[in-house]
Amino acid sequence: MAGHTHSIGDARLDKAVTDWLTWDKNPKTLELVKQMVADGKKEDLQACFGSRMEFGTAGLRAAMGPGISQMNDLTIIQTTQGFCRYLEKNINDLKERGVVIGYDARAHPASGGSSKRFARLAATTFVSQGIKVYMFSDITPTPFVPYAVTHLKLCAGIMVTASHNPKQDNGYKVYWENGAQIIPPHDSGIAQSIEENLEPWPTAWDDIVIDDSSLLQDPYQSINKDYFKDIQKHCFHRDINKASKVKFVHTSVHGVGHKFVQSAFKAFDFSPPLPVEEQKDPDPEFTTVKYPNPEEGKGVLKLSFALAEKEGARIILANDPDADRLAVAEKQESGEWKVFSGNELGALLGWWIFTCWKEKNQDPEAVKNVYMLASTVSSKILRAIAVKEGFHFEETLTGFKWMGNRAKQLIDQGKTVLFAFEEAIGYMCCPFVLDKDGVSAAVIAAELASYLATKNVTLTQQLNSIFNKYGYHISQNSYFICYDQKTIHDLFEHLRNYNGEKAYPKLCGKIDVSSVRDLTTGYDSNQPDNKAILPTSKSSQMITFTFANGGVATMRTSGTEPKIKYYAELCAAPGNSDFDMLKKELDDLADAIEEYFFQPEKNKLQRKTE
């Protein structure tokens, strides 16, 4: 999904359009393209056929509509044919073990595309090659796909979802046989294989044949049963849950989460959370929200706040539409609602999961085998807890694909991976899913809140206790919008040659820079040989500065949007609890980064608008 689209000459455009008219059997997209050709709409044709959607580590994500640049029946067939051939090349027992396919509730009537339709076409492709397919008969949360890969020992998984993107989008997310999302070089291998398998195979469009094929199985009932049985191993306070008087409001934001979070609460012996009625059923139009992304905070939670006020509930749990992420809000003494940031919830869940583990494992040696992970742009709070408690903390590159793959390596070495998280409200609380999971995170957050309530402590108070014990970690993340690739490139090159040739900044305004790690070039001033330990990627920009005042800031480009993001955090030593002073120090740091490192006026960058 990262990378640039390359426009092509007319001959290539003509061929792409001609192939399309020959191959597309979806009457709606076929008609739309015929109409564009008849009307001579060159710009529209260029937009639809100028370049193919890029298949990256996150698979595909694009708008639904006609042409090779969008998600539709034909591009799904082509993608799956490429993926199928790539799997055949790399995995010997593919036919026997098979793959799993899940989907959300997205649909785009104008082009006849929907997640379920795409899933059926993908299944048809595999079945036509004699490969066993486990396709869910109904919508499921995204984490059910990686769970099924691991649980049923399958070769791969596909989830058709665009998560929290706008309603016109869809996506195609791919898991490898280890149960984690793919990482390089699989992405480029699959992309190349797609290019080699563009013409639909003879039975590509005959999805009716899968309905009575012995190769198609429905794992819906068994995975539902086993997932909620496995999740119970992570329930530590059943008696408290049973008696709990804490009221929870839950919203699935027009997505798939409702039923599954209800089941998770049941598995933990809670009474069911109160669903936001207007948002509990899947709705591909996402009627009540502008963006179906609970990370956007209060706008998406408006109906949740109203229901909570009416019912006297003080905690809100919100999933994104494919239920792999979780936001939590708590009503404060003042009557205001606090929506926890991804980093704050990461601190709470990490502390809680370690506390529960420690109660069960009294042997002081056992902690040396325990690991927690976070992505490099997420809070370092877990590192502070790890140092004090004696377990291991590791950071990975951004994205759950890296945490999932690293967790699997550690588990295979006999280590205990308790928790992984990223600041974009993604949490892996149960390592039987090697990806973020908003269903398990919701019920574990509920157990934490219920346990604290028996001690008359709120989530907000507990967060402050964590900060008092392990050191305040406060963060501020933001971004600038920039559509010009050259400006972005020059901005980062300027940082690499700040005070003359090949030298990074030693100061940011008045703040001393103590070390620099550049994961684009592989430089790390903290390592004896100046070589970074984490994998580097020349195709994306990412530089992390550590400051003498305990600040850390990462600047990076986004793989999916025209943004340059920054993530700034101040990590104070335990005992320094003057929050206002720390907050001012963080604000000063963020201002200095914006002014001296981004130089928004000089680079004509657009600020983030609220």
Side-chain angles (χ1 to χ4, degrees), residues 508 510-514 545-553 569-573 576 582 584-590:
C508 179
K510 298 192 180 86
I511 307 163
D512 285 314
V513 175
S514 53
F545 300 94
T546 305
F547 299 94
N549 66 356
V552 187
E569 179 169 50
L570 199 61
C571 312
N576 178 357
L582 292 170
K584 184 183 178 322
E585 218 171 313
L586 176 67
D587 290 343
D588 292 347
L589 177 64

Side-chain angles (χ1 to χ4, degrees), residues 23 55 94 130 137 152 158 179-180 218 260 319 341 347 371 383 392 440 462 487 499 522 607:
W23 294 340
F55 190 95
L94 173 65
S137 55
L152 302 172
I158 296 167
D218 172 17
F260 301 97
N319 288 119
S341 72
Y371 281 74
R383 182 176 68 191
H392 298 268
S440 57
Q462 183 54 44
T487 303
N499 300 328
R607 284 181 186 277

Side-chain angles (χ1 to χ4, degrees), residues 464-478:
N464 287 325
S465 310
I466 293 168
F467 285 153
N468 279 319
K469 183 170 180 184
Y470 302 105
Y472 267 82
H473 285 62
I474 55 174
S475 52
Q476 181 175 323
N477 305 340
S478 192

Side-chain angles (χ1 to χ4, degrees), residues 204-225:
W205 294 92
D206 307 338
D207 62 304
I208 293 171
V209 302
I210 60 172
D211 294 325
D212 37 14
S213 167
S214 58
L215 292 170
L216 187 77
Q217 298 191 8
D218 172 17
Y220 189 85
Q221 297 303 339
S222 67
I223 291 295
N224 245 313
K225 188 173 107 254

Side-chain angles (χ1 to χ4, degrees), residues 359-506:
E359 252 171 50
K360 279 244 186 309
N361 295 271
Q362 297 300 321
D363 172 14
E365 284 300 291
V367 74
K368 295 179 179 160
N369 213 22
V370 167
Y371 281 74
M372 287 197 186
L373 310 174
S375 68
T376 149
V377 298
S378 301
S379 171
K380 309 285 176 271
I381 184 66
L382 296 184
R383 182 176 68 191
I385 300 176
V387 166
K388 201 155 180 163
E389 300 293 348
F391 62 89
H392 298 268
F393 168 71
E394 279 191 17
E395 52 172 26
T396 70
L397 292 179
T398 317
F400 250 91
K401 55 186 177 246
W402 297 105
M403 285 182 272
N405 278 281
R406 180 62 185 143
K408 179 73 169 107
Q409 285 176 337
L410 290 166
I411 291 164
D412 288 348
Q413 292 163 20
K415 312 289 187 204
T416 301
V417 178
L418 282 184
F419 178 62
F421 92 98
E422 63 179 5
E423 50 72 42
I425 63 172
Y427 309 97
M428 179 181 108
C429 300
C430 308
F432 58 73
V433 172
L434 294 173
D435 197 6
K436 52 188 184 279
D437 179 352
V439 178
S440 57
V443 75
I444 288 168
E447 185 168 79
L448 160 61
S450 298
Y451 171 84
L452 291 174
T454 63
K455 313 236 175 295
N456 268 331
V457 175
T458 65
L459 290 171
T460 308
Q461 288 165 339
Q462 183 54 44
L463 182 64
N464 287 325
S465 310
I466 293 168
F467 285 153
N468 279 319
K469 183 170 180 184
Y470 302 105
Y472 267 82
H473 285 62
I474 55 174
S475 52
Q476 181 175 323
N477 305 340
S478 192
Y479 59 81
F480 288 92
I481 294 169
C482 180
Y483 293 96
D484 181 34
Q485 290 299 331
K486 187 181 181 310
T487 303
I488 293 176
H489 176 264
D490 293 349
L491 184 152
F492 280 92
E493 279 307 305
H494 173 65
L495 292 171
R496 294 185 180 107
N497 304 283
Y498 200 72
N499 300 328
E501 255 331 274
K502 298 258 180 291
Y504 291 89
K506 299 200 171 29

